[in-house]
Amino acid sequence: MTKRRVAITGMEVVAPNGGDLTSFWDALQNGRSGIGPITRFDARSHDVRIAGELKDFDPSPELDRKEIRRNDAFTHYAVAVASRAVRHSGLDLEREDPERIGVIWGSGIGGIGTHEQQHTVLMEKGPARISPMYVPMMICDMAAGMISMKLGAKGPNYAAVSACASAAHAIGEATRKIQYGEAEVMVGGGSEAAVTPISIAGFAAARALSTRNDEPTRASRPFDRGRDGFVLSEGAAALILEDMEHARKRGADILAEVLGVGYTADAYHQTAMAPGGEGGARAIRAALRDAGLAPDAIDYVNAHGTSTLLGDVQETAALKAVFGAHAGRLAVSSTKSMTGHLLGATAAVESVACVLSLRHGVIPPTINLEDPDPECDLDYVPNICRRMPVRYAINTSFGFGGHNAVLVFGRFAG
């Protein structure tokens, strides 16, 4: 069976360093960080007091008061970016077959803010005071469900939950639905709203987070010798994926193509990557095979690059294993240096960055890369963006539990 081509025709993002597509891209090009002191709660008793929070986010254009009250913030973010991405695509949903439109959405933690708040209610006021909306607000699949309700999308609909690879799996699965004819249009992406007391405390207890509290914008520093962990962030991004012929027939502005998807498991450790990034390397190879591309065709890698001591070294090893001599010619950058780590939403945000790079011929930098780790010796586009033609780009995502997902994007050439 010949796979159908998959066009990207719409996008939207809400990230710590940009509340829409235009401001986000401006921030990436100019190396602007969205990390700052935590304001969501009183963090004075925490070892980690910095995060990437959304600023001035307003869900009311897409959700009414009751819907806002009955949904967690991760669903607010999801509905907002999905609705705005549809508008960006120019789709007239009233003219489409709703059964041929689907939604697959990623979130690593879902409604953890609701869970924390309702646990406090339970402890202080007893079980009779728990909200009847507690479970629907908390579960990870509710974002996909609410998007489908708001858009009237009646096709494939479910959630992808694979820690930091969640949104990559969501976009990859949405791509598959179109490739094999199960849908004409798919909404793929991810959202996370995990800047909460227990999330910060939990990741800090695992020694995964940066404690550079006095220099928040310099805290996320992938591949730098002085890195000390990632910065937890929140936000969301959505991509509108369409069957290529469907997009052409309606005269859509085709932003890029999804060319390849690769999934693997490390089968190694709960939180650490397999030695040498072996599982990640296999995922990259699988994605390249799926795309029908040789390794030396890739121009840009938007790296997982979390700013953890072991993870950055392992990812560097994985890239060398796959790309060989071409690894030294790749432009590699971690936009997490500017956004922080959005957990289950991160691959969606980074996929948007890849598409923008393809469109504009600009590689976002890895900021805060001042003293490169000798074990991280690739071209990480340090501190200043680079203008260069980009034909093919990949985004790598590696999640707790050994989940690896890699996406390959290509510039649309007709």
Side-chain angles (χ1 to χ4, degrees), residues 56-183:
D56 304 318
F57 174 77
D58 179 10
S60 63
E62 286 77 31
L63 294 164
D64 63 33
R65 288 184 181 180
K66 182 184 287 187
E67 290 170 330
I68 292 170
R69 191 172 64 251
R70 293 187 171 189
N71 285 280
D72 187 86
F74 91 103
T75 300
H76 298 168
Y77 303 160
V79 172
V81 294
S83 300
R84 296 169 194 175
V86 168
R87 290 198 291 273
H88 183 227
S89 75
L91 275 165
D92 181 354
L93 296 183
E94 292 187 359
R95 301 181 64 179
E96 301 291 335
D97 178 355
E99 295 184 16
R100 300 285 290 164
I101 303 172
V103 182
I104 303 178
W105 202 257
S107 185
I109 298 183
I112 194 167
T114 294
H115 180 71
E116 286 188 57
Q117 189 268 338
Q118 289 296 300
H119 181 264
T120 300
V121 171
L122 176 66
M123 293 295 99
E124 294 181 354
K125 299 180 181 179
R129 298 296 296 275
I130 291 292
S131 169
M133 295 302 297
Y134 162 57
V135 172
M137 291 173 72
M138 176 192 67
I139 54 180
C140 285
D141 68 299
M142 192 50 62
M146 281 299 297
I147 293 169
S148 72
M149 293 175 214
K150 298 300 288 186
L151 300 182
K154 296 183 177 181
N157 183 270
Y158 55 91
V161 183
S162 51
C164 307
S166 298
H169 279 118
I171 295 166
E173 289 299 288
T175 296
R176 294 287 193 233
K177 298 301 180 191
I178 294 171
Q179 285 178 329
Y180 294 112
E182 296 178 44

Side-chain angles (χ1 to χ4, degrees), residues 325-344:
H326 184 61
R329 296 187 288 271
L330 281 172
V332 181
S333 72
S334 173
T335 46
K336 287 185 182 72
S337 61
M338 295 172 275
T339 66
H341 193 347
L342 288 86
L343 304 181

Side-chain angles (χ1 to χ4, degrees), residues 9 17 47 52 60 133 175 250 317 351:
T9 58
N17 65 337
D47 292 335
S60 63
M133 295 302 297
T175 296
R250 70 177 186 87
S351 293

Side-chain angles (χ1 to χ4, degrees), residues 104-378:
I104 303 178
W105 202 257
S107 185
I109 298 183
I112 194 167
T114 294
H115 180 71
E116 286 188 57
Q117 189 268 338
Q118 289 296 300
H119 181 264
T120 300
V121 171
L122 176 66
M123 293 295 99
E124 294 181 354
K125 299 180 181 179
R129 298 296 296 275
I130 291 292
S131 169
M133 295 302 297
Y134 162 57
V135 172
M137 291 173 72
M138 176 192 67
I139 54 180
C140 285
D141 68 299
M142 192 50 62
M146 281 299 297
I147 293 169
S148 72
M149 293 175 214
K150 298 300 288 186
L151 300 182
K154 296 183 177 181
N157 183 270
Y158 55 91
V161 183
S162 51
C164 307
S166 298
H169 279 118
I171 295 166
E173 289 299 288
T175 296
R176 294 287 193 233
K177 298 301 180 191
I178 294 171
Q179 285 178 329
Y180 294 112
E182 296 178 44
E184 298 286 348
V185 178
M186 292 292 298
V187 182
S191 59
E192 208 76 89
V195 180
T196 71
I198 200 166
S199 294
I200 293 289
F203 281 111
R207 299 186 178 181
L209 298 184
S210 172
T211 57
R212 200 181 285 257
N213 295 308
D214 296 331
E215 298 179 297
T217 61
R218 300 181 68 230
S220 183
R221 42 197 320 109
F223 310 112
D224 187 84
R225 193 197 301 259
R227 68 191 184 280
D228 68 332
F230 70 81
V231 177
L232 186 63
S233 295
E234 62 179 356
L239 285 77
I240 306 303
L241 310 178
E242 287 188 55
D243 172 79
M244 182 64 74
E245 291 309 308
H246 181 276
R248 282 172 161 162
K249 284 178 182 177
R250 70 177 186 87
D253 180 14
I254 297 170
L255 308 177
E257 291 186 65
V258 186
L259 298 176
V261 176
Y263 309 145
T264 64
D266 283 352
Y268 173 70
H269 190 272
Q270 285 180 299
T271 58
M273 290 179 70
E278 179 271 339
R282 284 189 289 110
I284 297 170
R285 290 191 185 102
L288 290 173
R289 283 196 303 272
D290 190 46
L293 293 174
D296 61 6
I298 301 300
D299 301 299
Y300 172 48
V301 177
N302 186 296
H304 192 56
T306 59
S307 188
T308 58
L309 289 173
L310 185 58
D312 290 2
V313 172
Q314 301 285 50
E315 182 166 15
T316 299
L319 292 174
K320 289 180 176 180
V322 173
F323 291 99
H326 184 61
R329 296 187 288 271
L330 281 172
V332 181
S333 72
S334 173
T335 46
K336 287 185 182 72
S337 61
M338 295 172 275
T339 66
H341 193 347
L342 288 86
L343 304 181
T346 196
V349 171
E350 291 164 1
S351 293
V352 169
C354 285
V355 173
L356 291 168
S357 291
L358 290 162
R359 291 276 283 181
H360 300 291
V362 177
I363 305 294
T366 304
I367 68 168
N368 301 320
L369 184 48
E370 299 162 350
D371 183 14
D373 185 330
E375 294 188 81
C376 299
D377 55 355
L378 298 178

